[in-house]
């Protein structure tokens, strides 16, 4: 496994960033920065030096401690000190470092003074004019930050992935029928399973004489042709979704697919690894001098730089390359691993179909259990259930289960978390259910401390199984609640309850980075459809993709358990 000088430099720079955020001694921070620069500028390969037993402390700026870290990195592929620091820092803070104008010093100040940990919280603080009061910021800086954030948001309207999906599928089917076309695949953020996509990037492999570009621009859903060449074209569909098409020769399939899948920062990291090995990496292949040594498959691209295949959902340059190198890539949870669904509605509240029809649809989707979780009485617009109606439904479920074949319904509720953190139904009835899914449906605007306390208190109820759509966001229309999500995740671990990845297209909530935090904290996640109709089970794949982007494996997902394994896990959350 190749460990190159730039990898070591990057590790030292990350250590310096994190130390600086954490208020470490400035001399220590500077030592890591200096070492990073030195390592980058070094003409000899550190791994080779270590293998030759050379004394690294003879290098300027490298003392015993740094030498030890270098040896650890080149021999194991990772740095335990960096990993420890990463664990101590809220994961979204490193995302803040990417906001133009924010370095570690400023991120630290915002975190300490305003409790800002995420881009959403930063946006809110800037809008509310709270940033200017932080020492070292002022009105001008606040305005610049807000501008940078708004440029990011306003740039192009992004489409929820599930909204883009049917357009992508239709276009792929259409292009597949064009003469001379062999393969058509959607790459870009769509393939990586991001919650939203800025545009679609379609890659096709074609024979030289294929009329693919003319056919593409003539597609009936095209509203505007932005550009058209012989190997690439860009159009805007009638729904305003932009589509980029690239056509390449079959032999470049792997290199092109890798390039257009991205992410850009993953690509750059891979290209650097190639460069350090004397290889040129681009969308046409991997080259040593003029000779093409890889590129027909994505596997060959990774293999050429000494890595195993990395799943698209992981390609965000969030540690996947280091994990691949160390042989620690997660074996991602797959669609076929899901055995059931723990959040669904029927006609009894605001769903569209009977429990019987929902059960049949869930079974057709390959599931063996389905929890019926209607809204509770507080949510009057959704015909929430009161204790009397809930009792009646519990009897109906018992009766239905004696008739159903191949699927079992579980008795649950999606109970409202009231403003004071209590649950909307009395313990006397909750205790007779098999699971309690709980959610916030109003007062999304409470200040951070109150909102967090509200949810923690709800989790302390004697019957609490799953926190549904934990952030409350609606993509494009409602920002996530201002809550301390890492704290909620830790509380879930302490209470032994679970969190949801809600698969509704406009929710996808928890988001990937928080799902990853939950995994690291050992909290199981339920990937739930929150189905309101028999068609909604299809959405599970988008929820699952978020789980994959959170590095989740089968063991990290609650509803991969068989019903027999699941029952005691649910029961343990229902009597405390
Ligand atoms: P999006 O469309 O904003 O949701 O995100 P992406 O990742 O689909 O980005 P897009 O459509 O701009 O580009 C598609 C892929 O093409 C991207 O993931 C990686 C690759 N790519 C684009 N520009 C560059 C570049 O400047 N350098 C490298 N290495 N790759 C690039
Ligand atoms: Ca794209
Ligand atoms: Ca694009």
């Amino acid at each position: 496994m190749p460990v190159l000088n730039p990898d070591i430099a990057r590790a030292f720079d990350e250590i310096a960033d994190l130390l600086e955020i954490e208020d470490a001694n400035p001399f220590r921070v500077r030592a890591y920065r200096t070492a990073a620069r030195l390592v980058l500028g070094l003409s000899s390969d550190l791994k080779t030096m270590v293998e030759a037993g050379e004394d690294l402390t003879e290098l300027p700026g490298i003392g015993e401690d740094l030498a030890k870290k270098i040896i650890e990195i080149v021999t194991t592929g990772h740095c335990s000190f960096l990993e420890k620091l990463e664990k101590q820092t809220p994961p979204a803070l490193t995302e803040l470092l990417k906001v133009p104008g924010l370095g570690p010093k400023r991120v630290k100040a915002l975190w300490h003074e305003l409790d800002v940990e995420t881009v959403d919280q930063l946006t809110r603080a800037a809008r509310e004019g709270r940033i200017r009061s932080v020492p070292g910021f002022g009105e001008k800086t606040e305005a610049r930050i807000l501008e940078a954030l708004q440029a990011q948001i306003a740039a192009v309207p992004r489409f929820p992935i599930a909204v883009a999906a049917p357009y992508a599928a239709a276009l792929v089917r259409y292009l597949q029928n064009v003469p001379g076309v062999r393969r058509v695949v959607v790459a870009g953020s769509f393939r990586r399973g991001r919650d939203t996509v800025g545009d679609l990037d379609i890659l096709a492999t074609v024979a030289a004489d294929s009329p693919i570009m003319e056919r593409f621009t003539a597609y009936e859903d095209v509203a505007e042709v932005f550009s058209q060449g012989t190997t690439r074209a860009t159009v805007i569909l009638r729904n305003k979704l932009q589509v980029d098409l690239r056509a390449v020769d079959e032999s470049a399939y792997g290199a092109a697919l890798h390039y257009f899948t991205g992410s850009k920062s993953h690509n750059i990291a891979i290209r650097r690894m190639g460069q350090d090995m004397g290889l040129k990496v681009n969308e046409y292949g991997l080259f040593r001098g003029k000779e093409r040594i890889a590129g027909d498959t994505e596997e060959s691209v990774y293999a050429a730089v000494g890595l195993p295949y990395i799943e698209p959902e992981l390609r965000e340059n969030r540690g996947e390359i280091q994990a691949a190198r160390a042989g620690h890539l997660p074996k991602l949870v797959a669609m076929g691993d899901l055995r059931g669904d723990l959040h669904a509605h029927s006609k009894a509240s605001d769903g569209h179909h009977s429990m019987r029809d929902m059960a049949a649809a869930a079974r057709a989707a390959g599931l063996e259990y389905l929890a019926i979780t209607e809204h509770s009485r507080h949510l009057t617009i959704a015909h929430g259930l009161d204790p009397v109606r809930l009792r009646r439904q519990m009897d109906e479920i018992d009766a239905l289960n004696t008739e159903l074949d191949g699927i079992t319904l579980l008795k649950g509720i999606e109970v409202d978390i009231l403003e004071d953190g209590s649950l909307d139904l009395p313990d006397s009835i909750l205790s007779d259910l098999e699971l309690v899914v709980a959610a916030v449906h109003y007062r999304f605007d409470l200040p951070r401390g109150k909102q967090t306390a509200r949810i923690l208190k709800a989790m302390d109820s004697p019957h609490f199984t799953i926190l549904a759509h934990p952030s409350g966001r609606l993509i494009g229309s409602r920002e996530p609640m201002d809550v301390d999500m890492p704290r909620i995740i830790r509380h879930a671990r302490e209470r032994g309850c679970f969190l949801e990845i809600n698969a509704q297209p406009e929710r996808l909530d928890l988001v990937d980075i928080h799902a990853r935090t939950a995994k690291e904290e050992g909290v199981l996640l339920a990937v739930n459809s929150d189905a309101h109709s028999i068609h909604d089970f299809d959405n599970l794949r988008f929820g699952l993709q978020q789980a994959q982007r959170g590095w989740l494996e089968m063991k990290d997902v609650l509803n991969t358990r068989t019903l027999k394994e699941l029952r005691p896990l649910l029961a343990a959350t229902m009597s405390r």
Side-chain angles (χ1 to χ4, degrees):
M1 83 195 154
V3 175
L4 307 164
N5 291 0
D7 301 315
I8 300 167
R10 189 164 0 96
F12 286 174
D13 260 329
E14 281 170 19
I15 289 175
D17 283 349
L18 293 174
L19 283 176
E20 203 166 351
I21 290 175
E22 298 201 345
D23 240 346
N25 178 332
F27 291 103
R28 248 182 114 200
V29 175
R30 187 150 7 114
Y32 281 102
R33 295 241 186 267
T34 312
R37 268 205 310 278
L38 167 107
V39 166
L40 259 189
L42 212 59
S43 53
S44 39
D45 179 47
L46 280 165
K47 187 175 164 87
T48 317
M49 290 174 70
V50 169
E51 280 163 0
E54 287 181 46
D55 184 5
L56 301 181
T57 61
E58 289 186 357
L59 296 166
I62 303 290
E64 289 288 349
D65 180 56
L66 286 170
K68 263 200 214 127
K69 290 205 171 74
I70 292 173
I71 293 167
E72 186 200 4
I73 297 170
V74 300
T75 49
T76 69
H78 56 107
C79 172
S80 43
F81 181 57
L82 175 58
E83 283 163 9
K84 194 179 121 213
L85 286 175
E86 282 171 342
K87 282 222 172 79
Q88 288 166 7
T89 321
L93 276 184
T94 44
E95 303 283 317
L96 282 185
L97 287 172
K98 294 180 193 153
V99 175
L102 287 189
K105 269 206 192 78
R106 288 199 155 146
V107 169
K108 176 182 77 180
L110 292 168
W111 182 32
H112 287 193
E113 301 288 325
L114 297 179
D115 244 1
V116 162
E117 286 179 7
T118 67
V119 174
D120 292 309
Q121 289 163 358
L122 179 69
T123 311
R124 192 173 294 132
R127 280 203 197 123
E128 292 169 1
R130 286 185 281 131
I131 288 179
R132 64 185 72 170
S133 64
V134 178
F137 280 80
E139 274 185 54
K140 264 203 193 131
T141 317
E142 182 182 80
R144 263 205 307 277
I145 291 173
L146 197 55
E147 232 168 76
L149 289 168
Q150 274 161 352
Q152 271 177 13
I153 294 163
V156 233
R158 299 183 62 86
F159 285 68
I161 187 166
V163 173
Y167 295 94
L171 198 44
V172 167
R173 271 196 305 275
Y174 170 82
L175 292 172
Q176 235 141 17
N177 288 321
V178 173
V181 169
R182 283 191 63 177
R183 300 196 229 213
V184 182
V185 15
V186 187
S189 52
F190 185 88
R191 182 162 180 249
R192 302 197 310 279
R194 269 197 66 176
D195 50 3
T196 60
V197 299
D199 68 1
L200 292 176
D201 304 280
I202 298 186
L203 173 71
T205 60
V206 294
D209 56 356
S210 172
I212 185 163
M213 291 299 154
E214 297 82 70
R215 294 292 188 86
F216 174 57
T217 52
Y219 182 57
E220 66 165 358
D221 200 23
V222 167
E224 190 188 333
V225 178
F226 205 75
S227 65
Q228 182 182 348
T230 51
T231 60
R232 54 194 290 180
T234 295
V235 303
I236 316 282
L237 301 184
R238 282 193 290 224
N239 67 355
K240 303 266 190 288
L241 179 60
Q242 178 179 316
V243 187
D244 290 344
L245 173 67
R246 302 288 182 115
V248 298
D249 184 74
E250 179 68 22
S251 62
Y253 175 68
L257 182 58
H258 182 260
Y259 183 89
F260 294 117
T261 296
S263 66
K264 190 168 161 181
S265 87
H266 175 91
N267 285 358
I268 290 171
I270 295 289
R271 188 180 332 125
R272 276 210 193 112
M273 285 182 72
Q275 276 164 356
D276 290 328
M277 299 164 77
L279 301 174
K280 197 169 117 201
V281 182
N282 60 31
E283 59 263 54
Y284 306 107
L286 272 82
F287 302 86
R288 188 183 302 285
K290 289 236 156 72
E291 187 201 357
R292 216 180 106 108
I293 61 156
D296 53 336
T297 63
E298 281 192 314
E299 282 82 358
S300 77
V301 173
Y302 285 110
V305 293
L307 295 179
Y309 179 74
I310 299 177
E311 299 285 351
E313 287 80 4
L314 298 177
R315 299 183 198 168
E316 297 291 344
N317 202 16
R318 291 181 183 159
E320 72 279 9
I321 293 173
Q322 292 81 343
R325 203 182 272 159
H328 292 153
L329 279 174
K331 185 177 180 316
L332 296 182
V333 58
M335 202 53 209
D337 296 338
L338 292 187
R339 304 261 195 163
D341 186 342
L342 297 173
H343 185 172
H345 300 264
S346 81
K347 268 202 248 188
S349 61
D350 60 346
H352 302 296
H353 294 99
S354 66
M355 289 197 288
R356 188 187 294 274
D357 291 344
M358 293 299 283
R363 190 185 48 190
L367 304 179
E368 62 190 57
Y369 51 85
L370 174 69
I372 299 295
T373 57
E374 311 289 7
H375 289 291
S376 62
R377 59 190 173 188
H378 181 268
L379 214 56
T380 45
I381 52 161
H383 309 292
L385 269 50
D386 60 16
V388 174
R389 290 176 61 212
L390 180 54
R391 286 262 176 234
R392 202 183 316 138
Q393 187 181 62
M394 288 160 68
D395 292 340
E396 283 167 27
I397 291 175
D398 283 336
L400 252 179
N401 272 335
T402 63
E403 294 172 32
L404 290 173
D405 199 16
I407 183 131
T408 303
L409 294 180
L410 298 173
K411 289 175 277 190
I413 187 79
E414 180 180 7
V415 68
D416 249 61
I417 297 176
L418 300 179
E419 189 174 343
D420 67 358
S422 61
L423 302 182
D424 184 31
L425 289 170
D427 288 339
S428 56
I429 187 151
L430 295 180
S431 61
D432 290 339
L433 294 165
E434 288 167 285
L435 75 162
V436 170
V437 175
V440 169
H441 288 113
Y442 71 109
R443 287 312 307 266
F444 296 101
D445 60 338
L446 290 182
R448 183 181 174 83
K450 278 208 175 124
Q451 195 72 284
T452 305
R454 173 190 190 183
I455 293 170
L456 298 183
K457 182 175 166 207
M459 292 169 115
D460 286 338
S461 310
H463 315 290
F464 187 107
T465 313
I466 300 171
L467 178 63
H469 40 77
S471 86
R473 75 156 177 180
L474 294 176
I475 296 170
S477 63
R478 186 167 70 214
E479 286 183 22
M481 292 185 282
D482 192 5
V483 291
D484 185 345
M485 197 58 81
R487 175 114 189 261
I488 290 171
I489 291 168
R490 286 196 302 276
H491 203 66
R493 187 194 53 213
E494 283 152 21
R495 292 291 297 156
C497 59
F498 314 111
L499 301 182
E500 177 177 79
I501 296 180
N502 188 295
Q504 280 197 37
E506 71 280 20
R507 290 196 185 272
L508 298 178
D509 178 14
L510 284 183
V511 292
D512 49 12
I513 54 168
H514 284 142
R516 189 164 167 193
T517 307
K519 172 200 167 105
E520 282 163 7
E521 291 288 345
V523 173
L524 297 189
L525 294 166
V527 178
N528 289 337
S529 69
D530 194 356
H532 285 67
S533 96
I534 54 173
H535 311 293
D536 290 350
F537 297 105
D538 290 345
N539 289 330
L540 281 171
R541 65 191 167 111
F542 299 110
L544 192 91
Q545 237 176 346
Q546 288 309 301
Q548 293 169 330
R549 289 176 58 83
W551 293 46
L552 266 54
E553 307 189 51
M554 186 172 169
K555 65 173 173 41
D556 304 315
V557 177
L558 179 63
N559 47 326
T560 61
R561 305 297 192 269
T562 62
L563 188 54
K564 194 160 163 252
E565 295 164 337
L566 178 77
R567 283 210 146 105
L569 293 173
L570 298 182
T573 68
M574 291 296 292
S575 50
R576 283 176 304 188

